[in-house]
Amino acid sequence: MSDKAAMKEIERKKGWREIPPAGMIVDPGNAVLYQTGEWRSSRPTYHADRCIQCFFCWIYCPDQSIIVEDKKVVGIDYDHCKGCGVCSTECPTKPEKAITMAEEGAA
């Protein structure tokens, strides 16, 4: 199913007989269709000057929200990041982390 067809299917309201039991995800790999970053209460900030390119944040991020380009971490995909903080927790840089967490909306 193409992304466009999938979005049309999502937009159409389903009846109770069409919803999978227990809310199962029957089409794997469809998370890219949902912008879940709006749920976030904490926001990660990437500090390139502190990053040692260990990729721990990329490995442990449950939402695949760490952006890697040319074999380097370059940022965070805020459309899909839910603000769980795993990236910051797993970051080994000291004394300051390469990814810090702050309350969403804080300047």
Side-chain angles (χ1 to χ4, degrees), residues 45-52 88 91-93 96-100:
T45 300
Y46 174 66
H47 306 278
D49 57 317
R50 302 177 194 165
C51 185
I52 60 172
S88 181
C91 180
T93 60
E96 296 178 322
K97 301 272 188 177
I99 298 178
T100 56

Side-chain angles (χ1 to χ4, degrees), residues 18-34:
E18 298 173 289
I19 298 173
M24 291 182 344
I25 298 172
V26 294
D27 296 322
N30 68 356
V32 72
L33 301 175
Y34 302 95

Side-chain angles (χ1 to χ4, degrees), residues 47-59:
H47 306 278
D49 57 317
R50 302 177 194 165
C51 185
I52 60 172
Q53 299 301 326
C54 67
F55 290 92
F56 283 9
C57 56
W58 179 78
I59 291 168

Side-chain angles (χ1 to χ4, degrees), residues 20-89:
M24 291 182 344
I25 298 172
V26 294
D27 296 322
N30 68 356
V32 72
L33 301 175
Y34 302 95
Q35 292 189 349
T36 55
E38 295 174 0
W39 305 349
R40 186 176 49 244
S41 61
S42 295
R43 182 183 183 90
T45 300
Y46 174 66
H47 306 278
D49 57 317
R50 302 177 194 165
C51 185
I52 60 172
Q53 299 301 326
C54 67
F55 290 92
F56 283 9
C57 56
W58 179 78
I59 291 168
Y60 288 103
C61 177
D63 300 309
Q64 298 179 346
S65 295
I66 305 300
I67 301 170
V68 175
E69 293 176 358
D70 297 323
K71 299 181 182 180
K72 290 186 177 185
V73 174
V74 296
I76 297 168
D77 173 5
Y78 291 112
D79 286 339
H80 297 97
C81 170
K82 294 180 187 73
C84 68
V86 170
C87 55
S88 181
T89 299

